[in-house]
């Protein structure tokens, strides 16, 4: 007989931790596929991807950066799901069937709490999890996109908005050398307790019916935009760019306006869902599908060139681009 599911206690949490706000729709409805293939980055060292050109970056967040860029993490910045990848740290590199069967739709955070508890019971250490995370490959072209954004950081303010967790995200970003690019990370809080177990909490509670109970990315985005506009003396961003892949990246995309752009990863759930909404009045933003980070770089270069050309002509329409 399979081991019964044991529900773990959830504690909604909202607090500011350094430069990472831990608080308030998971991008994907996880299907709990067969055992994941452990990531083997192509063209990287056994230690994982490293962006050495950014190793000397410092946090830079000018008050008047003109554009806000929001990134999902799993299958957007990295090329796999971090939740699936860490299972490779287990001795058998897969979850038992009874644990897979505990999953309930819309309660992925709760499910991952059980997964992490099981991993700790099996003797998986912090170093073991960290080692797997550091070997996860970036999505094609994403490091080139980061290089472009770093070279234009006076124009772009960057955030991560992800239903993964703080330990997974910061571990990967720091190892890749790109953590200083991001002004804030919005994700589920996670830290190791005295027994060595990675403890995961939900980001927040919300009333959005489209999103998982632990995170609505639209709420996060709207609250942040309001907060930053006040900080900027009432000056809004001239454009918001949202880069994602999954179903829970649709909700924030629906709040974007005509000056903004949603970048769904081509042939992933966010792409197909937004395609179905393009003709409706509920989706007002531009949509630029991408298969590589280079596709996003090309679009941003085009936008910046148009702005420079209008500025050189003294055209007042520059504020509308």
């Amino acid at each position: 007989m399979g081991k019964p599911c044991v529900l773990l206690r959830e504690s909604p949490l909202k607090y500011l931790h350094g430069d990472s706000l831990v608080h308030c729709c998971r991008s994907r409805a996880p299907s709990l596929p067969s055992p994941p293939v452990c990531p083997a980055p192509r063209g990287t060292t056994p230690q994982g991807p490293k962006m050495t050109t950014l190793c000397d970056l410092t946090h830079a967040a000018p008050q008047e950066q003109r554009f806000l860029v929001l990134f999902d993490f799993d299958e957007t910045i990295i090329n796999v799901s971090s939740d699936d990848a860490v299972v490779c740290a287990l001795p058998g590199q897969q979850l038992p069937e009874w644990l897979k069967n505990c999953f309930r739709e819309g309660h992925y955070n709760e499910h991952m709490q059980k997964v992490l508890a099981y991993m700790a019971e099996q003797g998986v250490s912090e170093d073991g999890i960290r080692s797997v995370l550091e070997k996860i490959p970036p999505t094609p072209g994403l490091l080139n996109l980061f290089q472009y954004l770093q070279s234009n950081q006076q124009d772009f303010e960057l955030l991560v908005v992800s239903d993964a967790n703080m330990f997974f995200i910061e571990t990967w970003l720091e190892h890749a050398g790109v953590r200083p690019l991001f002004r804030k990370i919005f994700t589920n809080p996670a830290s190791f307790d005295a027994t060595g177990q990675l403890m995961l909490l939900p980001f927040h509670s919300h009333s959005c019916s489209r999103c998982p109970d632990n995170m609505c990315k639209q709420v996060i985005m709207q609250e942040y935009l309001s907060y930053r506009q006040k900080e900027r003396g009432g000056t809004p961003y001239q454009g918001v760019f949202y880069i994602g892949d999954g179903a829970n990246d649709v909700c924030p995309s629906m709040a974007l306006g005509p000056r903004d752009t949603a970048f769904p990863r081509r042939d992933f759930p966010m792409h197909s869902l937004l395609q179905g909404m393009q003709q409706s009045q509920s989706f007002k933003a531009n949509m630029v599908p991408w298969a590589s980070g280079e596709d996003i770089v090309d679009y941003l270069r085009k936008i910046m060139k148009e702005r420079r050309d209008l500025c050189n002509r003294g055209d007042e329409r520059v504020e509308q681009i």
Side-chain angles (χ1 to χ4, degrees):
M1 174 181 281
K3 185 175 178 180
C5 299
V6 178
L7 296 181
L8 301 185
R9 180 175 61 87
E10 291 187 355
S11 299
L13 182 65
K14 180 178 183 180
Y15 64 94
L16 192 64
H17 178 67
D19 55 359
S20 303
L21 181 63
V22 183
H23 166 53
C24 167
C25 338
R26 180 143 189 111
S27 69
R28 53 195 169 85
S31 57
L32 295 179
S34 19
V37 176
C38 294
R42 291 184 298 171
T44 61
T45 68
Q47 288 73 40
K50 196 79 170 179
M51 191 172 177
T52 55
T53 55
L54 295 185
C55 62
D56 295 326
L57 278 177
T58 56
H59 290 272
Q63 291 295 305
E64 298 304 325
Q65 287 166 311
R66 294 176 289 180
F67 300 103
L68 179 66
V69 186
L70 300 97
F71 285 85
D72 177 42
F73 182 67
D74 288 333
E75 298 181 286
T76 297
I77 290 178
I78 60 173
N79 205 27
V80 297
S81 162
S82 56
D83 289 340
D84 292 342
V86 294
V87 172
C88 294
L90 283 166
Q93 298 191 345
Q94 60 181 312
L95 297 175
E97 289 301 317
W98 67 261
L99 183 51
K100 295 179 185 179
N101 293 335
C102 281
F103 171 70
R104 294 188 298 144
E105 193 73 30
H107 297 271
Y108 193 83
N109 184 269
E110 178 186 287
H111 175 72
M112 277 306 298
Q113 292 175 22
K114 300 170 194 170
V115 170
L116 293 170
Y118 174 79
M119 292 178 68
E121 291 172 1
Q122 298 302 305
V124 177
S125 66
E126 176 177 348
D127 287 344
I129 294 175
R130 186 185 302 276
S131 176
V132 169
L133 291 170
E134 290 177 348
K135 292 181 175 69
I136 296 175
T139 300
L142 255 289
L143 294 185
N144 291 335
L145 172 58
F146 288 155
Q147 287 177 325
Y148 173 79
L149 292 169
Q150 189 272 332
S151 64
N152 292 276
Q153 59 183 313
Q154 73 279 3
D155 290 312
F156 297 101
E157 180 177 317
L158 275 56
L159 308 177
V160 173
V161 184
S162 168
D163 198 13
N165 67 73
M166 190 63 75
F167 179 75
F168 288 7
I169 294 172
E170 290 206 314
T171 294
W172 194 93
L173 294 178
E174 288 170 2
H175 184 75
V178 298
R179 176 61 184 91
L181 280 176
F182 295 92
R183 188 172 191 270
K184 292 190 184 295
I185 297 173
F186 295 88
T187 190
N188 300 300
S191 59
F192 287 89
D193 67 8
T195 69
Q197 178 179 332
L198 183 57
M199 303 299 294
L200 177 66
L201 294 172
F203 182 69
H204 66 178
S205 59
H206 60 86
S207 59
C208 177
S209 61
R210 293 186 292 263
C211 296
D213 56 357
N214 66 296
M215 178 172 286
C216 174
K217 294 184 178 184
Q218 181 179 145
V219 170
I220 295 170
M221 184 178 74
Q222 297 282 48
E223 289 183 352
Y224 186 79
L225 286 170
S226 175
Y227 165 76
R228 285 291 283 141
Q229 185 166 336
K230 290 178 183 177
E231 270 201 335
R232 292 155 58 95
T235 303
Y237 295 98
Q238 294 173 14
V240 177
F241 303 129
Y242 190 98
I243 304 169
D245 70 280
N248 77 342
D249 296 311
V250 171
C251 190
S253 299
M254 301 303 291
L256 299 176
R259 295 192 200 181
D260 307 325
T261 303
F263 293 91
R265 191 172 181 184
R266 189 178 295 279
D267 299 327
F268 278 66
M270 179 186 180
H271 184 204
S272 57
L273 290 168
L274 287 184
Q275 279 182 314
M277 299 175 181
Q278 267 192 306
Q279 303 305 317
S280 72
Q281 294 184 346
S282 59
F283 182 67
K284 301 179 175 64
N286 304 296
M287 185 173 79
V288 179
W290 61 280
S292 165
E294 294 286 359
D295 300 329
I296 302 172
V297 172
D298 291 343
Y299 181 83
L300 295 180
R301 281 183 174 143
K302 176 185 174 186
I303 291 292
M304 298 306 289
K305 182 178 184 303
E306 289 174 354
R307 287 185 54 84
R308 283 194 299 269
D309 291 346
L310 289 175
C311 281
N312 290 338
R313 294 200 301 266
D315 196 321
E316 61 186 18
R317 288 177 301 165
V318 68
E319 295 297 328
Q320 300 175 8
I321 296 180

